[in-house]
Amino acid sequence: MSFDIAGLLPPRAKCVAELGCGRGEAGAAFLRMQPEADYWGFATDPGEAREAAQRLPHACCLQPGSLDFAALGLYRADAVALRGPYLSLLRQEGGLRPLADLLTEEGQLLVEMPNPAYLPGVLRDR
């Protein structure tokens, strides 16, 4: 089950990074509400990334183990959404560090957790 990420993002966010953007539908919905935002979509599937590039200002195929945002020109984000295959970062040692480093001081991290019962185990392990 997927949540409506566009409605959960901070409405005044100037820069958003969505890891697990799929074809970019949620990003496109957010951009209709906040057209001035700089929206970055990341997908693990090259076909989805190509479709997202038609809807978002920035979209690319990026695997969870190779998060080098600065190399892409992304240095700060007001919101980061973690979804789908990128949830594997929760299981990696230091996996959320690149996302924490990316967030502004008041930034928000949104995690799509398909099974909320899984979260206490993730937090206990880290």
Side-chain angles (χ1 to χ4, degrees):
M1 178 173 177
S2 185
F3 62 84
D4 174 20
I5 193 160
L8 296 174
L9 291 168
R12 292 187 179 96
K14 293 180 178 144
C15 184
V16 175
E18 182 186 359
L19 286 86
C21 71
R23 297 185 317 247
E25 293 99 341
F30 181 77
L31 288 169
R32 284 191 292 277
M33 296 182 293
Q34 178 64 296
E36 301 300 317
D38 195 18
Y39 203 101
W40 294 72
F42 300 95
T44 57
D45 179 86
E48 286 183 344
R50 279 191 296 277
E51 287 186 54
Q54 302 299 311
R55 295 180 172 99
L56 307 175
H58 310 279
C60 69
C61 185
L62 185 68
Q63 299 305 312
S66 60
L67 301 179
D68 187 358
F69 298 115
L72 299 168
L74 176 58
Y75 301 100
R76 284 281 177 235
D78 299 308
V80 174
L82 187 63
R83 311 174 80 186
Y86 292 92
L87 288 172
S88 66
L89 292 171
L90 295 173
R91 301 197 79 154
Q92 298 173 11
E93 186 66 38
L96 293 180
R97 175 55 50 199
L99 304 182
D101 291 343
L102 185 61
L103 285 170
T104 61
E105 189 173 316
E106 300 291 322
Q108 296 181 19
L109 174 65
L110 290 86
V111 178
E112 180 180 48
M113 188 67 58
N115 182 355
Y118 177 67
L119 186 58
V122 170
L123 296 176
R124 189 174 36 254
D125 292 343
R126 300 290 155 233

